[in-house]
Amino acid sequence: MRDSGLNQPEVDATGRVRTRAAGERALVLGGGGSAGNAWLIGVVAGLFDAGLDVTRADLIVGTSAGATAAAQITGAAPAGLLADILAAAPRQAAGPAGYGGGRAAAGTVADHLERTARIIAAAEDAADMRRRLGAAALDLAAASDGSWQARWRATVAARLPRQRWPERAVLMTAVDAGTGEPVVFDRHSGVELADAVAASCSSGVPFGIGGRAYIDGGYRRNENADLAAGHRRVLVLSPLGGRTRTPLSWGMQLAAQVDELRDGGSRVETVLPDGDSLEAFGGNLMDPSTRPPAARAGYAQGRALAGRLAGFWG
């Protein structure tokens, strides 16, 4: 892996962690746009109110909207985060930059998905896909006026209860747009929290940090649950329901990550959106108007699951 100047976990060519100290519990928060972020907060709040506090995990892994959620649940109480979502005024539908970017409506999201689908279909493997997606993102940046960077950074920072990394093990994923190499940020990386979150959520135009540009961490692997390797119990919350846009032979999908964790001795539980949650998401996960219903549905799902998960989480 290229020396980026960041202090990062040791990973192999696929971006998977080679070694990690064993821990007891890990919480993995996947991506899923504006609705997915709200659902994550709702599930965590529902579990908490039912007596199961997963925010005290020994490790939290956040990807894209899940990176935002990771910063939020380590900086504020779940009940307060949920209340903020439910009290927020309706906002305009967002574009593909990350959840709630406020740049465009559903048509732009569809265009983004179509464009990236063509890139994925043309790629030979996951590494080739990352390189192609990074190059396409850099082309978008070259065609822009550059003002998006500051606006996006301010938007992300406003979502975070605190601007400093928590004094705990929190990992956030991204991909280097220039090389296609996976990157994992933590509090030792020399990157500010808001920058790490902004990079992890940048699925359209790349986000720049220290002379490098980064795109969405979901292009590393979908939920990046493999980063919890070595932990005895791993709870994965996947707003996208474990789905993948890539060929199954690439092993990007949640099922492959779960198999790897279990082969390594971890107990793994996954929480996927139920029927009510999927209905709350609607047809555009990037639409901020879905946040209150998604949070409510996630809260109900979390409360309902708390009893079953209590024995697993210990």
Side-chain angles (χ1 to χ4, degrees), residues 4 57 59 165 204 246 271 290 307 311:
S4 64
L59 170 70
W165 285 89
T246 60
V271 177
T290 64

Side-chain angles (χ1 to χ4, degrees), residues 44-206:
V44 171
L47 292 170
F48 186 90
D49 283 357
L52 187 61
D53 183 5
V54 297
T55 70
R56 304 307 304 173
D58 300 298
L59 170 70
I60 298 178
V61 178
T63 295
S64 196
T68 307
Q72 290 168 327
I73 67 171
T74 54
L81 295 170
L82 177 63
D84 288 344
I85 294 173
L86 299 181
R91 290 178 289 159
Q92 178 187 4
Y99 100 73
R103 295 197 304 154
T108 298
V109 174
D111 292 344
H112 170 74
L113 291 174
E114 182 180 351
R115 179 177 60 84
T116 54
R118 290 196 300 268
I119 295 171
I120 293 169
E124 296 179 359
D125 53 27
D128 186 39
M129 175 196 71
R130 296 185 195 103
R131 288 191 292 269
R132 290 171 181 261
L133 286 168
L138 290 173
D139 287 344
L140 286 177
S144 72
D145 62 7
S147 62
W148 172 82
Q149 169 94 12
R151 294 198 307 272
W152 179 232
R153 210 268 185 193
T155 297
V156 170
R159 296 171 178 161
L160 308 184
R162 299 178 183 174
Q163 300 302 311
R164 296 175 60 87
W165 285 89
E167 294 295 321
R168 300 164 52 194
V170 176
L171 303 179
M172 298 181 181
T173 61
V175 171
D176 188 312
T179 65
E181 292 177 348
V183 174
V184 180
F185 297 114
D186 64 13
R187 64 189 176 93
H188 303 294
S189 297
V191 171
E192 293 187 9
L193 179 62
D195 290 325
V197 174
S200 188
C201 293
S202 293
S203 59
V205 182

